[in-house]
Amino acid sequence: MSEFILEARSIVKTFPGVKALDGVSLQLRKGEVHALVGENGAGKSTLMLTLGGIYRPDEGEIFVEGKEVKFDSPHDANEKGISVVFQELSLVPTMSIAENIFANRQPVKAFNMVNWKKMYEDTIELLALFNLEYMDPSTPVNRLSIAMQQVVEILKAISFNPSVLVLDEPTSSLTEHEVEQLFDNIRKLKDRGLSFIYISHHLKEIFEIADTVTVLRDGMRVCDADVQTIDENFLITNMVGRSIENMYAQRGDIPIGKNVVLKVDNLSRKEVFEDISFSIREGEIVGLAGLVGAGRTELGRSIFGAEPADSGSLKLGDRNIAPRTPLEAINAGIGYLTEDRKTQGLVLDFTIRENLVSNHLRDFTSVIGFLNEGAITKFAEKSRDDYRIATPHLGQKIRKLSGGNQQKVLVGTWVGVGPKLLIMDEPTRGVDVGAKSDIYRLMRELAGKGVAILMISSDLPEILGMSDRVLVMQSGRLVGEIPGNEATEENVIALAAGTIEGEVNK
Amino acid sequence: MTWLKNIVKQREFMIFMIVAVMFIFMTFASPYFFTIPNILAVMLGLSLEAIIAVAMVHLMVSGGFDMSVGSVVAFTGAATAMMLRSGMPVFLAVLLGLFIGAAIGTFNGFIVAKVGINAFVTTLSSLSLFRGLTLIVTHGQNITGLPKTFKLIGQAKVVGIQTPIIIAVVLLIIGDVLLRRSRFFRQSYYIGGNEQAARLSGIPVDRMKILAYMLTGLFAGISGIVMTARLGAASVTAGSGMELRVITAVIIGGASLNGGEGSILGAFLGTLLMALITNALTLLGVDVYWQTFVIGATLLLAVLIDTLSKRNR
Ligand SMILES: Nc1ncnc2c1ncn2[C@@H]1O[C@H](COP(=O)(O)OP(=O)(O)OP(=O)(O)O)[C@@H](O)[C@H]1O
Ligand SMILES: [Mg+2]
């Protein structure tokens, strides 16, 4: 028997124009959690898709327990004990939790008839791992929150009883609470001898859960290490190829402007949020913290006109506005970066170039209505360089970009609109540290130019690092306001969870 | 009480309620409505469409779509009739007729799944192709003089119930059980709901799609043969407009053009609702020209309610 439960040797995988994996090797011991880190587009997902039987490697070998294997389908990989939780959710929205978990392997009775009772019982047993046994297994997945969907996806992978479980950014839309539960489960399963490959851009998580780590860069393995022996800087330096001194960038010397850009007064939307009042000034970055479900996204969407409020008023500069549609909001000077880039932010089958200009085509249209292709290309090239979008060419379809690069394109589309107010909902979800610091630098630059930024985020370090002022929402109400320099992890969490009372200056 | 809530949330329940209300209303409005002859007449009227609906639901669940069923009805009917006229034994002619229906379906499925041409365009071509072929082989003439044993397929009665009704009911029940419970046919829900996910789960997507078209062709063939037997003649205009009526009923019954949703019970209720509307308007003496209009309104209403209820959660 081999020392390694799973081993990949010199894997090469090429896509048209991209060498996604260039001789990557990886070794996984039985019962360990092996983290895989690297920038967006480094090839992490591609490697996992290869190990999961979805891609066939151009070169290289894969060994399971010392025996060479060739997977001819994901199914085949599953049967050989490897189960992958994909970065892109692979659920069927119209079908139930149970039928998603047991996709195409529902327990059956005579004549291959589905045994619903057993399937529901098995599902509840799995849900209990996350203390969710009260959920109805027949609920269609499209009625679940994104976090819950991710849990279903994880349970699906666990239900294969794999010997290796691959998790590709499993926590990207989980709340702290669910992350803890996931980690508890990982530890439990690890004790039972399961091995994990764990991909995440949250380096903190790596140190919490992983035993060993492999760093990839540009499709090559840079190094691997025992997590005990390294620190965060080591990882960053190896991932990015440079060290990042000041992640959140200093805010410039330019003081926050006098002029109020956005003034929100008693904004309410039935059963979602109530009586929200606050204001943001020129060049100010306001962080909006709170637990998932506190109504932050809904508040953002309502300021943007996507789900108009029932009552209350909005003032942009000194004009009263009441956007009923996103277009009205854009015309008024509001930009909005959605939290769910794939379904709301980007057109997956359009190219990077097309997406970058999609919401401000008017800027590239001549008087008689023709598009100025040259100007679009120039703009797209500039965006690619500004945000370091990793792609062979700008005509690439968004669908084929790595998750983090998709997010950078989304940022580019909205900055291009030239808004007075930019609402950013989870601006760095799934984005690597290098790109994160790029996005933060960009936000500072925008603020320096007088743009007011409302940043909705569940990432506490980001809230603390970036905000000039932190607003905290809890169950649809604004419960606290803390100046940026007084905000700490403790007081923000306490406000968000409702364990202390805060105050809000109106 | 979650099971009760779950039932109420189902589209089938909504249509069932509408059907029930119509039933009660009509029972009072027309003395003739709730009589066995009228009920049987309604059932007979919907049976040929219901047969096709069984396969159409399954096809639409898998994300497919078939505009050609009306033409397949005419073509299989005409082909079977011609084979009978040439003296072929009834059993063999029927079998070959069904085979032709299935073959046309397979042809559609192959083009959609393997060549990758849009389902609407593919089956729209088939609609013209096979209506045209019907006209060519029959020279536009109806075919009469069919053997008596063949006509029994559409005209016999078992305990007073006409065979088309019996055939439809049997297919509906078997179809509903299979689509609801068999692991094999559940595969189609995965395909229609998220094709990528279906592939990842090891479902042979292309094969299932072709099968779904094949079954639709086969069931249109059954419908065509039963219709020919019932009328005692193959008519060149048989089944025209049927595709739209079937698709309408299936959508009223909860299927969507996006796939992943729908049930045979729902489709049956949709067919029943449309037949009841026709029946009610006739009994109430409303101008027949209103029927099509009312069915359009019903379809719009059904999808409106569905869309709005989805938006509110
Ligand atoms: N199907 C595809 N076609 C073409 N190029 C692809 C395809 N899939 C991935 N790539 C390219 O391969 C490279 C590696 O992508 P991959 O998704 O593996 O990155 P990643 O490390 O998972 O990044 P992220 O952290 O953003 O998820 C990228 O440059 C990406 O654009
Ligand atoms: Mg990835």
Side-chain angles (χ1 to χ4, degrees):
Chain A
M1 251 207 48
S2 157
E3 171 186 7
F4 304 114
I5 179 125
L6 175 68
E7 189 182 358
R9 279 192 210 152
S10 314
I11 304 283
V12 175
K13 176 77 197 170
T14 326
F15 295 113
V18 196
K19 202 159 197 180
L21 295 174
D22 191 359
V24 174
S25 301
L26 181 94
Q27 285 129 1
L28 181 68
R29 284 193 182 77
K30 197 169 161 61
E32 77 168 352
V33 177
H34 191 110
L36 189 61
V37 299
E39 287 183 286
N40 296 129
K44 304 180 295 292
S45 296
T46 307
L47 182 58
M48 293 313 111
L49 293 170
T50 312
L51 293 178
I54 290 150
Y55 291 156
R56 224 152 292 176
D58 302 340
E59 286 170 42
E61 300 104 51
I62 300 171
F63 299 85
V64 173
E65 304 205 23
K67 274 201 290 284
E68 179 165 5
V69 290
K70 284 202 165 48
F71 301 131
D72 42 48
S73 71
H75 216 61
D76 190 25
N78 282 332
E79 307 219 310
K80 291 178 173 136
I82 298 172
S83 181
V84 184
V85 176
F86 301 103
Q87 184 176 10
E88 315 298 324
L89 292 178
S90 65
L91 300 176
V92 182
T94 45
M95 297 184 85
S96 67
I97 298 179
E99 275 199 281
N100 266 289
I101 290 179
F102 293 99
N104 204 27
R105 50 196 181 95
Q106 302 98 321
V108 286
K109 299 185 282 201
F111 303 111
N112 262 332
M113 292 293 172
V114 175
N115 185 343
W116 295 93
K117 189 158 165 283
K118 175 153 177 19
M119 182 163 69
Y120 286 161
E121 284 166 5
D122 292 354
T123 305
I124 290 175
E125 207 169 286
L126 284 164
L127 285 165
L129 291 174
F130 281 79
N131 300 327
L132 292 167
E133 59 278 5
Y134 60 88
M135 296 229 28
D136 179 357
S138 69
T139 316
V141 162
N142 57 12
R143 296 214 197 129
L144 303 177
S145 67
I146 300 254
M148 198 40 226
Q149 293 184 15
Q150 204 146 24
V151 170
V152 173
E153 189 103 30
I154 291 167
L155 293 180
K156 177 176 169 181
I158 292 179
S159 72
F160 280 97
N161 275 326
S163 49
V164 175
L165 186 55
V166 176
L167 299 167
D168 194 350
E169 296 191 38
T171 57
S172 60
S173 29
L174 295 189
T175 65
E176 302 256 332
H177 180 65
E178 288 146 339
V179 173
E180 270 320 307
Q181 278 179 334
L182 174 64
F183 286 178
D184 284 346
N185 280 305
I186 291 182
R187 288 188 196 106
K188 243 187 264 168
L189 293 167
K190 204 172 109 168
D191 289 341
R192 283 200 232 153
L194 215 74
S195 319
F196 290 85
I197 297 179
Y198 187 90
I199 300 180
S200 178
H201 289 295
H202 295 280
L203 300 184
K204 211 179 91 194
E205 291 174 7
I206 310 285
F207 290 95
E208 198 178 332
I209 194 72
D211 305 300
T212 47
V213 57
T214 293
V215 182
L216 290 188
R217 184 162 82 224
D218 296 334
M220 286 187 268
R221 182 173 74 166
V222 181
C223 65
D224 51 19
D226 195 328
V227 167
Q228 303 282 324
T229 64
I230 57 165
D231 64 0
E232 211 161 291
N233 275 334
F234 174 89
L235 283 185
I236 294 176
T237 314
N238 280 291
M239 277 167 69
V240 190
R242 61 191 156 98
S243 64
I244 294 178
E245 281 307 318
N246 192 342
M247 181 79 169
Y248 299 107
Q250 259 340 297
R251 54 161 304 115
D253 297 332
I254 319 119
I256 296 170
K258 285 265 176 309
N259 299 335
V260 171
V261 174
L262 175 73
K263 186 151 171 39
V264 179
D265 270 312
N266 304 324
L267 208 65
S268 298
R269 186 178 158 86
K270 215 174 117 225
E271 280 169 25
V272 187
F273 54 81
E274 215 181 312
D275 207 15
I276 307 277
S277 304
F278 67 94
S279 60
I280 311 181
R281 287 181 294 164
E282 261 177 7
E284 192 179 25
I285 299 179
V286 172
L288 185 55
L291 300 179
V292 168
R296 298 169 303 163
T297 293
E298 290 78 2
L299 175 62
R301 285 173 58 80
S302 119
I303 297 174
F304 188 56
E307 286 164 19
D310 302 327
S311 64
S313 65
L314 290 174
K315 222 169 156 185
L316 196 71
D318 32 52
R319 266 181 46 208
N320 280 316
I321 57 166
R324 309 293 305 172
T325 62
L327 185 63
E328 285 178 35
I330 295 173
N331 288 339
I334 302 178
Y336 179 82
L337 226 94
T338 51
E339 73 176 325
D340 189 353
R341 58 176 172 256
K342 270 194 279 322
T343 59
Q344 295 172 12
L346 297 166
V347 189
L348 295 182
D349 281 320
F350 278 24
T351 64
I352 302 177
R353 189 170 164 279
E354 287 160 341
N355 269 283
L356 275 170
V357 296
S358 61
N359 49 9
H360 53 117
L361 274 176
R362 215 177 333 163
D363 298 348
F364 301 96
T365 313
S366 68
V367 229
I368 46 168
F370 286 113
L371 285 176
N372 183 343
E373 300 288 341
I376 294 181
T377 303
K378 234 187 226 144
F379 175 82
E381 281 168 357
K382 183 171 175 317
S383 306
R384 177 191 57 199
D385 299 343
D386 281 355
Y387 314 129
R388 300 182 221 213
I389 299 168
T391 173
H393 56 100
L394 291 164
Q396 185 78 294
K397 284 192 179 153
I398 293 287
R399 190 184 290 288
K400 295 192 172 164
L401 288 186
S402 72
N405 279 306
Q406 293 181 354
Q407 185 69 12
K408 294 187 199 175
V409 173
L410 185 61
V411 174
T413 60
W414 284 106
V415 172
V417 176
K420 297 192 198 99
L421 168 72
L422 187 58
I423 304 169
M424 308 179 92
D425 199 349
E426 307 289 355
T428 62
R429 170 175 293 168
V431 172
D432 70 54
V433 276
K436 254 188 200 165
S437 84
D438 289 341
I439 291 176
Y440 295 146
R441 179 177 46 79
L442 215 101
M443 287 169 69
R444 293 286 185 210
E445 273 173 34
L446 285 172
K449 288 181 196 148
V451 178
I453 296 178
L454 179 64
M455 179 183 73
I456 303 170
S457 172
S458 301
D459 186 11
L460 266 181
E462 170 171 294
I463 287 273
L464 301 176
M466 289 302 293
S467 311
D468 296 316
R469 197 150 44 95
V470 180
L471 298 176
V472 185
M473 270 181 88
Q474 187 224 321
S475 328
R477 287 167 173 281
L478 209 52
V479 294
E481 174 173 350
I482 318 170
N485 50 11
E486 288 171 24
T488 64
E489 208 155 306
E490 289 75 32
N491 60 19
V492 174
I493 289 184
L495 275 173
T499 46
I500 60 168
E501 306 249 310
E503 45 190 271
V504 187
N505 309 322
K506 298 213 168 159
Chain B
M1 294 305 257
T2 47
W3 61 270
L4 193 68
K5 252 202 230 148
N6 281 343
I7 288 179
V8 174
K9 263 188 286 186
Q10 301 282 326
R11 168 75 79 91
E12 287 93 336
F13 183 76
M14 184 184 90
I15 311 164
F16 179 77
M17 290 310 287
I18 299 176
V19 168
V21 168
M22 270 193 75
F23 238 91
I24 295 168
F25 173 77
M26 282 308 297
T27 307
F28 287 105
S30 161
Y32 180 66
F33 177 76
F34 200 58
T35 59
I36 289 179
N38 187 50
I39 300 294
L40 282 179
V42 170
M43 290 297 287
L44 187 63
L46 67 79
S47 57
L48 295 172
E49 278 163 21
I51 291 172
I52 302 179
V54 172
M56 187 69 86
V57 179
H58 173 245
L59 176 64
M60 287 177 65
V61 159
S62 74
F65 187 72
D66 193 345
M67 292 287 291
S68 70
V69 286
S71 300
V72 176
V73 164
F75 187 69
T76 49
T80 310
M82 286 172 73
M83 288 187 286
L84 288 168
R85 285 288 299 266
S86 76
M88 195 184 276
V90 172
F91 176 74
L92 194 60
V94 169
L95 208 64
L96 276 176
L98 295 178
F99 178 79
I100 291 171
I104 297 174
T106 311
F107 167 78
N108 286 333
F110 189 83
I111 293 183
V112 173
K114 291 287 185 194
V115 186
I117 295 176
N118 170 289
F120 181 78
V121 178
T122 304
T123 59
L124 192 62
S125 319
S126 294
L127 180 150
S128 291
L129 277 176
F130 292 100
R131 178 69 61 187
L133 264 187
T134 311
L135 290 168
I136 294 168
V137 296
T138 61
H139 303 288
Q141 304 290 313
N142 293 349
I143 303 168
T144 50
L146 303 175
K148 218 172 167 141
T149 40
F150 174 73
K151 288 190 205 163
L152 280 179
I153 296 174
Q155 297 174 354
K157 283 187 180 177
V158 182
V159 288
I161 302 171
Q162 288 99 328
T163 35
I165 301 180
I166 295 171
I167 294 172
V169 168
V170 168
L171 291 177
L172 282 164
I173 292 175
I174 296 177
D176 189 74
V177 171
L178 287 180
L179 193 57
R180 214 176 273 281
R181 324 246 329 240
S182 92
R183 180 152 89 187
F184 182 78
F185 285 102
R186 298 288 308 167
Q187 293 184 119
S188 297
Y189 283 90
Y190 293 95
I191 296 172
N194 181 348
E195 196 173 319
Q196 186 73 25
R199 276 183 214 278
L200 290 180
S201 307
I203 292 172
V205 172
D206 292 351
R207 262 208 330 254
M208 279 306 285
K209 280 188 181 170
I210 294 174
L211 175 79
Y213 281 97
M214 188 193 91
L215 287 175
T216 310
L218 175 66
F219 277 55
I222 297 177
S223 185
I225 289 170
V226 174
M227 182 188 286
T228 309
R230 194 183 119 206
L231 300 177
S235 147
V236 290
T237 56
S240 56
M242 211 162 167
E243 59 283 339
L244 290 181
R245 288 180 62 88
V246 171
I247 291 169
T248 307
V250 169
I251 294 178
I252 290 179
S256 87
L257 289 181
N258 300 325
E261 285 176 294
S263 73
I264 288 176
L265 176 62
F268 168 68
L269 289 171
T271 320
L272 180 61
L273 181 60
M274 286 172 59
L276 280 182
I277 290 173
T278 310
N279 185 245
L281 294 178
T282 316
L283 288 183
L284 296 178
V286 179
D287 195 341
V288 288
Y289 297 124
W290 277 94
Q291 288 179 9
T292 315
F293 178 84
V294 174
I295 284 168
T298 314
L299 175 62
L300 193 61
L301 206 70
V303 292
L304 267 181
I305 292 175
D306 193 48
T307 309
L308 294 179
S309 69
K310 271 182 189 150
R311 195 173 294 169
N312 279 341
R313 63 183 182 223

